[in-house]
Amino acid sequence: MLVTYHRPFDAKLLLLAVPACAMLWAEGGRIGRLALLVTTAGIVATADLPLISFLALTRNLRISTDGLSGQMLTVALARPIPLILLMMGLFYLWIYLQRDPERGRP
C-alpha cells in the first residue's frame, strides 16, 4: 500500500523492517549488506526532512515527457520514492520466498 498511497506519516511504518534488516545483517554476507542498503534507502528517502528537501529541489524541474523514455526519466528523477519503496518491498518478498520452508514441498 505504501507504493501507491504514500504520505509522509506512513514512512514510520517502514520502521517495521528494521528487525528483519538486523537479522539479515547479523547473518553477514552480501544479503546483510544489501538489506542494510535497501532499508536505509527506504527510511531516509521517505523521512520527513529529506522528503521536504527533495520536493523543494524538484518543484521547478522541467523534463521532456516525449515518448516512453522521457516518461520513465520523469518518474525516476521527479518521484523516486515509490520506486525505492517498491524495491524495498520486492527485496523483502524475495528474502521471504527464498527462506520459506513450506515452499519446497508440493
Side-chain angles (χ1 to χ4, degrees):
M1 184 167 159
L2 284 175
V3 175
T4 59
Y5 179 78
H6 174 71
R7 300 277 186 244
F9 53 85
D10 291 339
K12 279 58 170 187
L13 290 173
L14 292 177
L15 293 177
L16 294 173
V18 171
C21 177
M23 288 173 54
L24 292 171
W25 178 259
E27 292 176 7
R30 200 177 325 169
I31 297 294
R33 290 189 300 270
L34 189 58
L36 182 65
L37 178 72
V38 167
T39 305
T40 303
I43 291 173
V44 169
T46 57
D48 293 334
L49 293 178
L51 179 62
I52 292 169
S53 304
F54 185 74
L55 291 175
L57 289 172
T58 60
R59 179 181 15 215
N60 296 324
L61 188 63
R62 303 283 185 241
I63 301 173
S64 172
T65 57
D66 292 339
L68 183 62
S69 62
Q71 292 173 357
M72 295 302 286
L73 181 63
T74 301
V75 169
L77 290 178
R79 300 289 179 233
I81 296 170
L83 295 176
I84 292 171
L85 293 176
L86 178 64
M87 178 186 65
M88 187 175 169
L90 290 175
F91 172 76
Y92 280 109
L93 180 64
W94 173 67
I95 292 294
Y96 172 74
L97 291 175
Q98 186 181 29
R99 295 171 182 228
D100 183 20
E102 296 292 322
R103 188 169 176 237
R105 298 182 189 161

